[in-house]
Amino acid sequence: MIAIVDYGMGNLRSVEKALAYLGHAARVTSDPDVVVAAERVVLPGVGAFGAAMQRLSAARDGGPALQQAVLDVARSGRPFLGICLGMQLLFTESEEMGHHPGLGLIPGRVRRFDFTGRADGTSLKIPHMGWNSLSLRREVPLFRGLEDGVMVYFVHSYYCLPESPDVVAATADHGGPFCVALWRDNLFATQFHPEKSGAAGLRMLDNFARL
Amino acid sequence: MGGHVPAIPTLTQFTIRTAMVARRIIPALDIKEGRVVKCVRFLNPRDAGDPVDLARLYDQEGADEIVFLDITASYERRALMLDVARRVAEQVFIPFTVGGGIRTVEDMRETLKTGADKIFINTSAVQNPDLISEGADRFGSQCIVVAIDGKRRANDGWEVYIHGGRTPTGRDAVAWAAEAARRGAGEILLTSLDADGTQAGYDLELTRAVADAVPTPVIASGGAGSEAHIYDGLTRGGAEAALVASLVHYQILSIRQIKSYLRNRQLPVRL
């Protein structure tokens, strides 16, 4: 079973529906016990970083905090996929509206796009929204069967800056190349939305479910 | 994990690298009481009036997004559109937008809850501009599309019309687009009432005037009759996306044909 972590941020049903469409058992849950017991975990999310961390760390019903469950799974070696905000949350900290500590699983920061003062600034929109192509930086099980240059769907105003280039799995170009997918051990993450990226995105989710 | 991982194939002639966000081709479906209207297609959909089947078809043909316009007259029957949206979200895995009859933040919430990625508002935004900012604050600008129907004035400029193009408002379309963007609209869906249905091309002056007035993407709509019209809308008109309806519904052109044409002229598209 794939647990999709529900921490009250944005619409999580799209990921569930895409996995269901592919024939994989998935469940949206906010129960730490279900998350800890799952074979695979997806951390999706749309919204603000600080609010997301707050909701993740809030203990529920006297049980263990959802944040601890997510950390436990991420460190357990079981396949873990962060999507969009769910990728950003893996990092040390974010500069979204102040400074917020993240889960600290991937050393690095999350920053806002800033094109002020650039000659091409007006053509570089924020949010970075729409279809953009991936430069695949290395062989990654998540991208099995996909070609370099494949286009995927993005909606975000902040981007991830990992300290180590070794975790970068793919980059895209929006005012310069930036990390849009990472892979380290059992941790996978995408800044784009595989669940909204047509056939290419479905392939990634299927790859994840079969890891 | 582990196992054999095939090498990443090198770039082929079928993949094109683009250093920028692709221009989008967006088919629009008019929905009345849960059924597609004004749409004649014969590519063996099991049911030519079923919005879900058609949306899947357009997804397969390479649509970048899909827009559903609910033209159901009675407010009470809006639940039918929500049901359509829910079913689309189970079958179609590209972004889609729903509009028509959305009047409150609660309507927005209900619509987005179905799995729709964005909503659009037109008449209700003009009548209550706060709706734009309230929606953007609650759900994020990326969810909120403001649709504007503009009609050329005798002297100069364009006037905003509401109620499906029936009611003039006295507002200037370019100024209204700028205000909508300031209030938090993530995109402007711009239709020229003069060009709509003519298949003689978009109103490029209107499109350019609005594109220059807002920092947000503009979706050009109304009048496209050929690939060249779409190319013009995306270049001279300055639009980021083109809405297409009868052109693809009546199979005058396929989405793939349109995109090939654009790609051959160096515009970034997803093919």
Side-chain angles (χ1 to χ4, degrees):
Chain A
M1 199 269 296
I2 303 172
I4 300 165
V5 183
D6 176 9
Y7 50 102
M9 298 296 288
N11 190 340
L12 314 175
R13 298 286 161 191
S14 305
V15 180
E16 185 189 26
K17 283 172 172 171
L19 287 166
Y21 180 82
L22 293 163
H24 302 296
R27 180 172 160 195
V28 174
T29 180
S30 58
D31 183 343
D33 294 338
V34 175
V35 172
V36 163
E39 293 161 49
R40 295 174 176 74
V41 169
V42 178
L43 184 66
V46 175
F49 192 99
M53 282 306 296
Q54 226 167 45
R55 284 173 186 261
L56 259 183
S57 57
R60 293 179 188 218
D61 307 324
L66 199 50
Q67 177 176 341
Q68 194 55 49
V70 167
L71 285 170
D72 287 349
V73 169
R75 290 171 181 148
S76 72
R78 274 169 281 163
F80 186 101
L81 174 63
I83 297 175
C84 197
L85 181 60
M87 171 174 178
Q88 299 177 357
L89 291 172
L90 302 181
F91 281 76
T92 316
E93 63 167 359
S94 167
E95 296 173 4
E96 181 166 352
M97 300 178 198
H99 279 262
H100 298 278
L103 293 169
L105 291 161
I106 304 284
R109 283 170 304 145
V110 180
R111 267 206 187 146
R112 189 174 163 85
F113 283 116
D114 184 4
F115 304 120
T116 47
R118 283 177 55 149
D120 56 355
T122 54
S123 65
L124 292 163
K125 312 274 183 188
I126 304 170
H128 171 226
M129 181 164 83
W131 297 85
N132 206 336
S133 57
L134 296 183
S135 288
L136 305 184
R137 293 303 170 110
R138 55 200 172 108
E139 290 175 16
V140 178
L142 197 66
F143 299 147
R144 206 171 287 171
L146 296 168
E147 295 195 350
D148 192 33
V150 64
M151 296 196 102
V152 291
Y153 189 76
F154 291 88
V155 186
H156 64 121
S157 301
Y158 292 77
Y159 66 100
C160 298
L161 270 165
E163 274 172 24
S164 166
D166 297 345
V167 300
V168 179
T171 59
D173 194 315
H174 189 58
F178 66 103
C179 173
V180 298
L182 64 83
W183 175 35
R184 195 194 66 201
D185 306 323
N186 61 318
L187 293 183
F188 298 85
T190 64
Q191 182 61 70
F192 52 89
H193 290 272
E195 76 281 11
K196 288 290 171 183
S197 294
L202 289 177
R203 180 67 199 254
M204 291 178 202
L205 290 174
D206 196 48
N207 285 341
F208 176 74
R210 293 172 192 277
L211 282 173
Chain B
M1 282 215 328
H4 176 67
V5 181
I8 294 164
T10 51
L11 245 118
T12 72
Q13 56 176 320
F14 299 108
T15 62
I16 274 217
R17 272 173 189 271
T18 54
M20 50 167 78
V21 175
R23 302 297 215 285
R24 291 166 283 157
I25 302 299
I26 307 174
L29 296 172
D30 286 0
I31 309 292
K32 189 174 185 184
E33 300 191 348
R35 306 279 298 166
V36 180
V37 295
K38 281 205 306 189
C39 182
V40 188
R41 289 197 59 125
F42 306 100
L43 289 179
N44 319 313
R46 278 166 299 178
D47 173 355
D50 181 23
V52 182
D53 256 16
L54 274 158
R56 284 177 57 146
L57 198 69
Y58 283 127
D59 177 8
Q60 285 159 19
E61 284 186 3
D64 296 305
E65 292 181 29
I66 297 174
V67 163
F68 297 91
L69 168 60
D70 186 18
I71 55 169
T72 304
S74 105
Y75 195 69
E76 289 69 39
R77 308 212 69 182
R78 276 199 69 244
L80 292 165
M81 184 63 232
L82 296 178
D83 183 53
V84 166
R86 266 188 290 272
R87 287 191 294 125
V88 168
E90 284 166 7
Q91 302 279 325
V92 178
F93 300 98
I94 55 174
F96 69 96
T97 307
V98 174
I102 292 173
R103 297 173 194 175
T104 64
V105 169
E106 181 55 22
D107 290 342
M108 292 179 182
R109 195 188 67 83
E110 273 194 341
T111 307
L112 292 170
K113 230 178 76 184
T114 63
D117 297 273
K118 314 177 199 179
I119 57 90
F120 73 85
I121 47 179
N122 187 334
T123 302
S124 58
V126 172
Q127 291 172 337
N128 173 21
D130 287 340
L131 189 56
I132 304 170
S133 22
E134 285 165 14
D137 286 347
R138 176 95 182 260
F139 311 109
S141 282
Q142 79 284 347
C143 295
I144 310 297
V145 181
V146 171
I148 299 175
D149 293 340
K151 195 176 166 76
R152 216 170 253 278
R153 283 192 183 115
N155 36 12
D156 75 322
W158 297 265
E159 183 174 358
V160 177
Y161 277 63
I162 54 172
H163 297 131
R166 293 189 303 275
T167 314
T169 64
R171 273 175 179 268
D172 178 75
V174 178
W176 170 233
E179 183 183 340
R182 264 200 313 277
R183 286 177 174 273
E187 287 181 301
I188 303 292
L189 168 51
L190 178 68
T191 303
S192 159
L193 293 173
D194 306 292
D196 200 24
T198 63
Q199 302 213 354
Y202 296 111
D203 183 335
L204 294 178
E205 284 178 41
L206 170 61
T207 312
R208 173 52 78 177
V210 170
D212 285 346
V214 299
T216 51
V218 171
I219 305 165
S221 159
S226 69
E227 303 103 311
H229 290 154
I230 291 171
Y231 177 80
D232 286 344
L234 298 174
T235 51
R236 290 163 58 198
E240 303 268 327
L243 201 77
V244 287
S246 41
L247 201 56
V248 292
H249 297 331
Y250 295 102
Q251 294 187 278
I252 300 161
L253 286 173
S254 72
I255 292 167
R256 216 161 283 283
Q257 282 173 309
I258 296 167
K259 287 190 165 185
S260 298
Y261 181 96
L262 300 176
R263 189 183 63 172
N264 290 340
R265 282 154 190 80
Q266 322 311 323
L267 281 188
V269 290
R270 180 178 71 113
L271 258 179

